[in-house]
């Protein structure tokens, strides 16, 4: 192959000896590889754990590998562009081409000089020192895993909004005599962004949703957020005997946290709808959603 790039000829001579075709139906990952993948999938920071694994094991799996030897050289090309490829097993033809390009020697990948006159000997000795000179038809390495692990990785790699984590926090430290309550909720695993939303409800001790209270969430940071709780109607229920159920919605790639128990094949969509507030009205019904609920 001869390719011109920015005034230089890039010469590549390949001697292809064997071609290996790998069918993934017959390729099985090692138990060790499956185990480290499973540990990463069960981690709160699964995306980071998977990146570390693929940095160690590799990101791609080639389904076609060519063994042989190759030589190369880069020389100035003051004339017009020369770009061509010749497939030949005739060493004399290769030597004639090198003569036309005024090239006296080539280099191995390790920098050893092979003189043009020694090409015959170089080819004859290739069987003793075969190297990978081509690989293509690449697929992501995790595609050789079993279906269950592949699907879990696909869920993590999708850049969609997901339920990042959920939790239930007690409200024992709140004073029922207050009209408005602020409850700080700290996360066990810090996030790497504050670009997320939180939704939730006030629930009873037996996990029933309480309509007597409503809650908003604000002041998001990497380590948690605040719940702002108010009564929506007069009630004898003591807020200190209640709990708050919350869930964080965001993109795993931004937050770098994704709880294993929340990874399901669920598409999360949320929207913000402006409404006109009316005096003495706390409940608003009949809102038209852009996304139909099912």
């Amino acid at each position: 192959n001869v390719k011109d790039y920015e005034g230089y000829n890039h010469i590549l001579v390949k001697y292809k000896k064997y071609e290996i075709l790998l069918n993934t139906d017959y390729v099985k990952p090692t138990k060790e590889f499956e185990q480290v993948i499973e540990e990463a999938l069960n981690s709160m920071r699964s995306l980071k754990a998977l990146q570390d694994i693929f940095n160690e094991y590799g990101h791609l799996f080639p389904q076609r590998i060519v063994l042989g030897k190759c030589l190369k050289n880069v020389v100035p090309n003051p004339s017009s562009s020369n770009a061509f490829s010749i497939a030949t097993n005739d060493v004399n033809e290769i030597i004639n081409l090198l003569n036309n390009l005024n090239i006296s020697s080539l280099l191995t990948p390790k920098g050893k000089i092979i003189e043009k006159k020694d090409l015959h000997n170089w080819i004859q000795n290739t069987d003793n020192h075969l190297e990978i000179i081509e690989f293509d038809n690449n697929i992501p390495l995790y595609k050789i895993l079993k279906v269950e692990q592949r699907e879990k990785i696909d869920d993590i790699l999708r850049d969609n909004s997901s339920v990042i984590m959920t939790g239930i926090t007690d409200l024992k430290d709140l004073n029922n005599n207050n009209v408005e309550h602020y409850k700080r909720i700290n996360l066990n695993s810090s996030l790497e962004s504050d670009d997320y939303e939180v939704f939730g409800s006030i629930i009873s001790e037996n996990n029933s949703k309480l309509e007597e209270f409503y809650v908003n969430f604000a002041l998001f940071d990497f380590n948690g957020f605040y719940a702002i709780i108010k009564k929506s109607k007069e009630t004898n229920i003591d807020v200190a005997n209640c709990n708050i159920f919350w869930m964080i919605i965001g993109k795993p790639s931004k937050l770098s946290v994704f709880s294993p128990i929340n990874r399901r094949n669920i598409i999360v969509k949320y929207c913000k709808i402006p409404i006109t507030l009316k005096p003495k009205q706390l409940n608003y019904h009949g809102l038209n959603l852009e996304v139909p609920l099912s």
Side-chain angles (χ1 to χ4, degrees):
N1 292 327
V2 178
K3 294 184 179 180
D4 177 79
Y5 180 72
E6 294 186 353
Y8 287 86
N9 277 333
H10 293 248
I11 297 93
L12 180 63
V13 176
K14 292 182 179 179
Y15 176 73
K16 300 179 181 180
K17 185 67 175 179
Y18 300 109
E19 180 184 63
I20 302 173
L21 301 178
L22 300 174
N23 188 328
T24 54
D25 292 337
Y26 302 100
V27 175
K28 304 298 180 185
T30 64
K31 293 295 183 182
E32 177 192 12
F33 185 57
E34 289 181 325
Q35 180 62 34
V36 294
I37 290 291
E38 193 63 27
E39 291 174 359
L41 292 174
N42 291 329
S43 167
M44 285 290 289
R45 301 186 182 277
S46 51
L47 183 60
K48 175 65 166 59
L50 288 171
Q51 288 173 339
D52 291 341
I53 290 172
F54 294 129
N55 285 340
E56 178 181 352
Y57 285 83
H59 293 263
L60 299 175
F61 179 83
Q63 298 179 91
R64 175 180 175 271
I65 299 173
V66 176
L67 298 179
K69 300 282 282 186
C70 68
L71 298 172
K72 61 182 179 180
N73 205 341
V74 179
V75 295
N77 177 22
S79 61
S80 60
S81 173
N82 290 323
F84 53 89
S85 176
I86 297 177
T88 178
N89 292 324
D90 189 339
V91 179
N92 292 324
E93 187 174 351
I94 296 175
I95 292 175
N96 288 334
L97 175 61
L98 296 177
N99 288 334
N100 293 335
L101 295 172
N102 197 26
I103 295 173
S104 61
S105 63
L106 297 166
L107 297 174
T108 68
K110 294 183 179 180
K112 182 180 178 181
I113 298 175
I114 304 296
E115 298 292 339
K116 181 171 52 180
K117 59 183 176 61
D118 295 327
L119 272 180
H120 287 279
N121 293 333
W122 176 79
I123 291 176
Q124 290 176 356
N125 293 329
T126 53
D127 289 346
N128 299 327
H129 305 283
L130 293 179
E131 301 170 348
I132 296 176
I133 60 174
E134 287 182 16
F135 55 89
D136 51 30
N137 296 341
N138 298 314
I139 59 173
L141 180 61
Y142 77 89
K143 293 296 184 182
I144 70 172
L145 294 166
K146 295 177 182 177
V147 174
E148 182 180 359
Q149 287 188 327
R150 290 204 311 264
E151 290 179 347
K152 289 181 180 179
I153 294 176
D154 284 334
D155 287 340
I156 294 171
L157 295 180
R158 289 191 188 100
D159 198 26
N160 296 330
S161 294
S162 305
V163 180
I164 298 298
M165 66 175 74
T166 60
I168 295 178
T169 303
D170 67 69
L171 304 175
K172 294 178 180 179
D173 56 340
L174 300 187
N175 186 343
N176 194 54
N177 294 323
N178 293 339
V179 176
E180 188 174 63
H181 307 275
Y182 289 81
K183 174 67 177 180
R184 171 68 181 184
I185 297 176
N186 294 312
L187 304 176
N188 292 329
S189 298
S190 297
L191 308 175
E192 293 192 6
S193 170
D194 58 3
D195 185 12
Y196 59 89
E197 298 286 346
V198 183
F199 301 90
S201 301
I202 304 301
I203 59 176
S204 65
E205 292 179 310
N206 61 2
N207 295 331
S208 298
K209 181 179 178 181
L210 297 175
E211 301 293 345
E212 290 81 359
F213 300 92
Y214 67 91
V215 58
N216 290 324
F217 300 91
L219 302 176
F220 305 153
D221 59 43
F222 293 4
N223 298 308
F225 50 88
Y226 276 87
I228 306 170
I229 305 165
K230 294 183 180 181
K231 291 182 180 180
S232 60
K233 61 177 71 172
E234 288 299 323
T235 178
N236 293 324
I237 299 175
D238 189 339
V239 69
N241 295 327
C242 302
N243 299 313
I244 180 169
F245 167 77
W246 52 266
M247 63 178 175
I248 294 177
I249 304 295
K251 294 185 176 182
S253 60
K254 283 188 176 181
L255 303 178
S256 295
V257 171
F258 198 5
S259 173
I261 63 175
N262 296 119
R263 291 178 206 150
R264 304 181 183 93
N265 191 20
I266 299 175
I267 298 176
V268 176
K269 293 185 178 180
Y270 64 90
C271 57
K272 296 181 180 180
I273 302 174
I275 60 174
T276 301
L277 300 179
K278 299 179 181 180
K280 299 181 180 180
Q281 181 175 344
L282 296 178
N283 296 318
Y284 294 83
H285 304 285
L287 298 177
N288 294 320
L289 300 179
E290 297 177 0
V291 180
L293 301 177
S294 59

